[in-house]
Amino acid sequence: MRQPLVVGNWKMNGSLAANAVLLSELKPLLANANAVAVAMCAPFVYLAQLSDMSSIGGFKVGAQDVSIHLDGAYTGETSAAMLADIGCEYVIIGHSERREYHHESNLLVAQKALAAQRAGLTPIVCVGETLAQRESDSALDVIGEQLSAVKSVLGESVLSQCVIAYEPVWAIGTGLTATPEQAQEVHQFIRATLGSAGVDTQILYGGSVKPDNAQSLFEQADIDGALVGGASLNAQDFFNIVLAANAL
Ligand code: PGA
């Protein structure tokens, strides 16, 4: 039985004051959705604040990136052990914005997932196709390659302990969402690619998830929750998405 999981991805948004307001609005709401695991992924500088507030807030803490290195002369990097040290349980790996703007390769994404997993964090491994790839019918090939790079570094059984997020690049921050059927087709493919252990893997959908489309996505057999960008910055919107997952 897979527990629904809803993860907020704040991206590069927030401030000490705005985060405190958002989390204090969210706290009483989340008490009404116990069946769902909830995590918030914040910029590095706010992880300590989130970690402090998570003890009273009913959510877990995640980062948005991690170094492949353990420690040492890597200016600007943050290790997986440091994330665990500050109270993180999750880390987003290979988000399409990092793949695109920071040229992260499938291999680097796999190495980051390994570093996270070795430090006891749960990697949220993002995969997804661009619009051109979807239109040329190569979405499943692209996603298959993204997954197989991670599988060859982590091994099948460890990969199945990660969270996988299917995020079609054309749906991120655009207001366009994959239809529930399009998303289900990819989620089913991902689960099949994970092998026998994939039956327990939480596979999230991400890409313009909003309160009004969450339920129809969550009704699909292989969609176990969501990775939520824009709507995670509004307590009521985010909670309404959590509530839709709570009914699964
Ligand atoms: P969005 O972002 O919900 O704003 O589309 C999702 C994501 O990038 O994780």
Side-chain angles (χ1 to χ4, degrees), residues 9 11 95 167 171-173 207-209 227-230:
N9 174 12
K11 308 195 179 187
H95 190 280
E167 297 209 304
I172 295 175
S208 298
V209 177
L227 180 54
V228 183

Side-chain angles (χ1 to χ4, degrees), residues 18-243:
N19 304 344
V21 171
L22 178 59
L23 296 174
S24 60
E25 286 172 359
L26 211 47
K27 183 191 149 200
L29 298 175
L30 288 180
N32 301 314
N34 293 327
V36 184
V38 175
M40 280 297 189
C41 297
F44 290 130
V45 291
Y46 297 129
L47 292 176
Q49 180 191 23
L50 242 74
S51 198
D52 283 349
M53 293 193 76
S54 69
S55 55
I56 49 163
F59 63 91
K60 294 180 173 166
V61 181
Q64 299 174 9
D65 187 27
V66 68
S67 175
I68 62 170
H69 302 291
L70 290 178
D71 53 33
Y74 301 101
T75 303
E77 298 247 50
T78 302
S79 74
M82 292 171 183
L83 297 180
D85 194 25
I86 207 162
C88 285
E89 293 183 50
Y90 292 93
V91 55
I92 297 172
I93 308 272
H95 190 280
S96 65
E97 287 153 13
R98 294 209 61 85
R99 290 180 189 262
E100 184 182 350
Y101 306 142
H102 301 273
H103 310 291
E104 293 196 2
S105 66
N106 284 345
L107 178 61
L108 184 73
V109 169
Q111 290 169 330
K112 287 187 173 189
L114 182 66
Q117 188 271 334
R118 284 192 170 154
L121 303 171
T122 299
I124 301 172
V125 178
C126 299
V127 297
E129 81 287 2
T130 63
L131 188 57
Q133 289 162 339
R134 173 155 287 268
E135 286 176 346
S136 65
D137 245 359
S138 52
L140 296 185
D141 292 339
V142 169
I143 293 162
E145 277 168 31
Q146 292 170 335
L147 282 175
S148 89
V150 186
K151 198 188 213 173
S152 62
V153 171
L154 262 62
E156 189 172 290
S157 66
V158 175
L159 175 60
S160 64
Q161 290 159 27
C162 298
V163 173
I164 311 292
Y166 168 52
E167 297 209 304
V169 179
W170 48 272
I172 295 175
T174 58
L176 299 172
T177 322
T179 64
E181 294 73 24
Q182 283 173 325
Q184 168 58 22
E185 182 196 13
V186 177
H187 280 235
Q188 194 173 16
F189 168 78
I190 292 171
R191 199 174 304 286
T193 306
L194 294 176
S196 55
V199 73
D200 293 326
T201 306
Q202 290 163 312
I203 306 178
L204 312 183
Y205 172 80
S208 298
V209 177
K210 307 285 179 215
D212 59 1
N213 60 24
Q215 192 183 335
S216 59
L217 287 160
F218 295 161
E219 278 165 4
Q220 302 299 311
D222 290 296
I223 300 184
D224 305 313
L227 180 54
V228 183
S232 71
L233 299 171
N234 178 294
Q236 193 62 52
D237 284 354
F238 185 71
F239 174 64
N240 286 342
I241 294 169
V242 173
L243 262 192

